């Protein structure tokens, strides 16, 4: 969870940077920057209410792929049940105990149980920020030609042993890939409207209203101009990644991206002055910044949204070796470190990257699963610790198909553990595991 606070000086620098750099602005250090796609401005909704001052925003979920979410003093995950159901599980950091949520309530596994999620068809994941806990259910759009009824996308806010829900329109589900931002109570995310053929029509910037159960559309962008993802926050609002098909390379069109800034003050969408080609550069998004790594250079750069400029970068290198090393970035901004992959001994290895020095270390923490080696990936963090996936096993569940016939699905069951950040970065397996008091399948 990353915090970005507004400051008058920062806003002054921001407007100066935007005036100096438009869609054709190029980050320093990019070997051969691609031409920037130029999306049309959004259609600001008639009921858009300009903010009197930029709200303070955090990213409650940076990447959209987390299977566990860390809140204040605990983490949460979903344990799969039968017939596309799940139950919310709490991992208490202080006691190391794993229990069904909410604490002290006997689970009934039905609608009377606030921690039971009766419909996760299409996928679901927890989202947490501070003491606020949510469950994000992706949903499926209805397709008449395929005789598919679909399943609604929902956001549940869970508090005090109860829940409030916001439901998306059937043909406009929330985007399941991408981040979710929060102002401390409500959530900001993207939805996408589809036609009856299942083709994307427009992307919408949305804000929840859990008190009324409503969903406010702040702006809409034409999907014919490319794809959008929510990737971060900045001083006035949201950072969006815009993607469009670029030049054809062989039989495949390369994807070209640029960073766009959506303002919650005036509803505008404008380029940040940073563009990249996914085949040449990989990125990780922080609060008001982008870390990026041109593959051919072996140097890590940081682009600052406020100034519209990049730093000089640092060369990636291994301990005891000053030669630059090629790598690719993935994951999130963990403050002093990023995560990446590089080639070691003719194989791909997960590595940590120290942002200040460019020092790379192989992350050797992992476990055997399904006849292969799985690295321990970061699911959530506190100030001093990470929550990691420490092991996995496989189980099965029975589901009924649309025609009523039985079907068996195979599901991974994950175990979680806490580890000090310094131990993780140095591959020391000093894990604090959780007592599995929750019966799983």
């Amino acid at each position: 969870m990353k915090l970005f606070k507004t400051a008058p000086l920062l806003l002054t620098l921001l407007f100066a940077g935007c005036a100096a750099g438009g869609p054709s602005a190029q980050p320093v250090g990019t070997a051969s920057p691609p031409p920037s796609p130029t999306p049309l401005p959004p259609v600001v909704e008639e009921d858009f209410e300009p903010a009197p001052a930029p709200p303070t925003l955090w990213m409650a979920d940076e990447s959209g792929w987390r299977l566990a979410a860390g809140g204040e003093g605990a983490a949460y995950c979903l344990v799969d049940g039968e017939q596309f159901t799940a139950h919310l599980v709490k991992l208490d950091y202080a006691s190391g105990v794993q229990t069904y949520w909410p604490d002290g309530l006997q689970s009934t596994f039905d609608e009377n149980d606030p921690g039971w999620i009766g419909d996760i068809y299409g996928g679901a994941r927890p989202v947490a920020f501070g003491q606020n806990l949510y469950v994000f259910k992706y949903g499926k759009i209805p397709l008449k030609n395929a005789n598919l009824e679909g399943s609604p996308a929902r956001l549940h806010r869970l508090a005090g042993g109860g829940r409030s829900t916001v439901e998306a329109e059937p043909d406009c589900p929330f985007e399941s890939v991408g981040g979710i931002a929060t102002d401390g109570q409500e959530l900001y995310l993207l939805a996408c409207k589809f036609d009856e053929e299942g083709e994307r029509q427009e992307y919408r910037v949305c804000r929840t209203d859990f008190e009324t159960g409503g969903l406010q559309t702040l702006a809409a962008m034409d999907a014919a101009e490319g794809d959008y993802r929510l990737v971060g926050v900045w001083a006035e609002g949201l950072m969006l990644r815009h993607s469009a098909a670029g030049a054809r390379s062989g039989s495949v069109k390369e994807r070209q991206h640029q960073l766009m800034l959506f303002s919650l003050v005036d509803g505008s969408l404008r380029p940040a002055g940073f563009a990249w080609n996914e085949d040449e550069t990989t990125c990780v998004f922080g609060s008001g910044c982008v870390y990026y790594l041109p593959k051919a250079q072996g140097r890590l750069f940081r682009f600052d949204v406020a100034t519209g400029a990049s730093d000089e970068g640092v060369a990636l290198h291994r301990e005891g070796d000053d030669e630059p090393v090629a790598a690719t970035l993935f994951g999130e901004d963990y403050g002093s470190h990023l995560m990446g992959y590089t080639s070691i001994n003719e194989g791909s290895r997960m590595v940590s990257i120290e942002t200040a020095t460019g020092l790379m270390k192989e992350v050797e923490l992992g476990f055997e699963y399904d006849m292969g080696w799985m690295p321990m990936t970061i699911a959530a963090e506190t100030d001093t610790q990470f929550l990691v996936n420490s092991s996995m096993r496989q189980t099965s569940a029975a589901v009924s198909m649309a025609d009523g016939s039985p079907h068996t699905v195979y599901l991974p069951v994950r175990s979680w553990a806490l580890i000090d950040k310094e131990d993780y970065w140095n591959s020391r397996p000093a894990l604090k595991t959780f007592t599995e008091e929750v019966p799983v399948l």
Side-chain angles (χ1 to χ4, degrees):
M1 292 173 285
K2 309 298 187 296
L3 166 66
F4 198 101
K5 293 185 176 179
T6 304
L9 176 59
L10 186 60
L11 291 176
T12 303
L13 293 173
L14 173 65
F15 291 128
C18 289
S24 61
Q26 300 171 358
V28 175
T30 303
S32 55
S36 303
T38 307
L40 296 176
V43 178
V44 179
E45 298 297 298
E46 291 183 1
D47 61 349
F48 177 80
E49 298 180 2
T56 300
L57 295 179
W58 297 262
M59 287 299 289
D61 187 341
E62 287 86 343
S63 55
W65 53 260
R66 287 184 173 183
L67 297 172
E72 189 173 304
Y76 305 87
C77 63
L78 291 173
V79 174
D80 292 299
E82 297 187 347
Q83 288 301 115
F84 300 109
T85 65
H87 204 290
L88 194 67
V89 168
K90 176 183 177 181
L91 306 168
D92 186 76
Y93 291 155
S95 66
V97 174
Q98 176 175 310
T99 59
Y100 284 122
W101 183 93
D103 294 335
L105 185 67
Q106 183 65 39
S107 297
T108 57
F109 303 98
D110 57 27
E111 292 297 342
N112 297 316
D113 184 346
W116 183 75
I117 311 299
D119 177 14
I120 61 166
Y121 181 66
R125 71 178 188 261
V127 177
F129 175 75
Q131 296 183 352
N132 298 327
L133 176 60
Y134 312 84
V135 171
F136 175 24
K137 190 243 176 179
Y138 305 154
K140 292 282 189 181
I141 61 170
L143 296 174
K144 292 184 178 180
N145 291 346
N147 197 29
L148 181 65
E149 295 183 1
S151 179
R154 296 190 180 103
L155 273 165
H156 301 296
R157 184 169 70 183
L158 309 176
R163 75 173 72 170
S164 51
T165 301
V166 169
E167 186 169 307
E169 298 174 19
D171 62 349
C172 192
F174 306 123
E175 279 292 282
S176 59
V177 178
I180 296 177
T182 181
D183 57 15
Q185 289 295 325
E186 302 297 340
L187 300 178
Y188 297 79
L189 72 167
L190 297 188
C192 189
K193 183 175 177 60
F194 292 80
D195 62 17
E196 293 184 356
E197 305 297 324
E199 297 293 329
R200 295 178 183 270
Q201 298 297 299
E202 67 180 21
Y203 288 89
R204 296 178 180 178
V205 180
C206 300
R207 180 181 185 271
T208 62
D209 186 343
F210 284 103
E211 295 303 317
T212 65
L215 188 69
Q216 182 185 10
T217 298
L218 305 180
M221 295 84 75
D222 187 353
E225 299 298 322
D227 299 329
Y228 289 86
R229 295 287 182 268
L230 173 58
V231 295
V233 296
W234 64 295
E236 279 193 35
L238 308 174
M239 291 164 48
L240 307 181
R241 187 199 72 189
H242 174 256
S243 305
R248 185 175 293 276
S249 175
S251 61
V252 180
K253 281 190 175 181
E254 297 176 344
R255 297 292 288 176
Q256 295 178 353
H257 312 284
Q258 74 167 328
L259 187 65
M260 305 294 293
L261 304 178
F262 177 73
S263 171
L264 292 171
V265 176
D266 58 16
S268 66
L269 181 71
R270 56 184 181 271
F274 179 81
W276 70 101
N277 186 313
E278 68 178 18
D279 292 330
E280 299 174 0
T281 302
T282 53
C283 301
V284 166
F285 302 92
S287 292
C289 73
V290 184
Y291 291 96
Y292 66 99
L293 183 59
K295 295 179 183 178
Q297 293 191 25
R299 292 184 67 85
L300 176 68
F301 299 88
R302 182 182 183 276
F303 174 81
D304 191 325
V305 168
T307 62
S310 296
D311 60 18
E312 296 180 355
V314 294
L316 301 189
H317 62 280
R318 300 189 183 99
E319 212 162 14
D321 186 358
D322 293 332
E323 289 296 318
V325 179
T328 59
L329 297 177
F330 79 98
E332 300 169 3
D333 175 11
Y334 300 110
S336 61
H337 290 75
L338 303 175
M339 298 300 298
Y341 279 99
T342 190
S343 178
I344 299 176
N345 297 329
E346 299 181 355
S348 181
R349 296 289 189 273
M350 192 171 75
V351 294
S352 66
I353 302 172
E354 196 172 76
T355 56
T357 65
L359 177 63
M360 290 174 35
K361 291 184 179 180
E362 182 177 354
V363 178
E364 299 174 341
L365 301 172
F367 53 89
E368 294 288 342
Y369 175 72
D370 196 23
M371 301 177 65
W373 178 257
M374 299 285 290
M376 290 187 187
T377 53
I378 299 169
E381 65 178 305
T382 69
D383 290 340
T384 60
Q385 293 182 307
F386 289 128
L387 180 75
V388 296
N389 179 193
S390 57
S391 66
M392 292 173 64
R393 62 181 177 86
Q394 195 175 78
T395 188
S396 61
V399 299
S400 296
M401 306 305 290
D403 60 2
S405 61
H407 184 69
T408 300
V409 295
Y410 296 93
L411 305 168
V413 177
R414 294 171 174 83
S415 295
W416 307 95
L418 287 172
I419 183 171
D420 288 346
K421 291 183 177 181
E422 284 304 307
D423 287 334
Y424 185 86
W425 299 134
N426 291 283
S427 295
R428 296 190 291 260
L431 301 177
K432 177 185 177 182
T433 58
F434 290 88
T435 303
E436 293 192 6
E437 296 184 359
V438 173
V440 295
L441 294 176

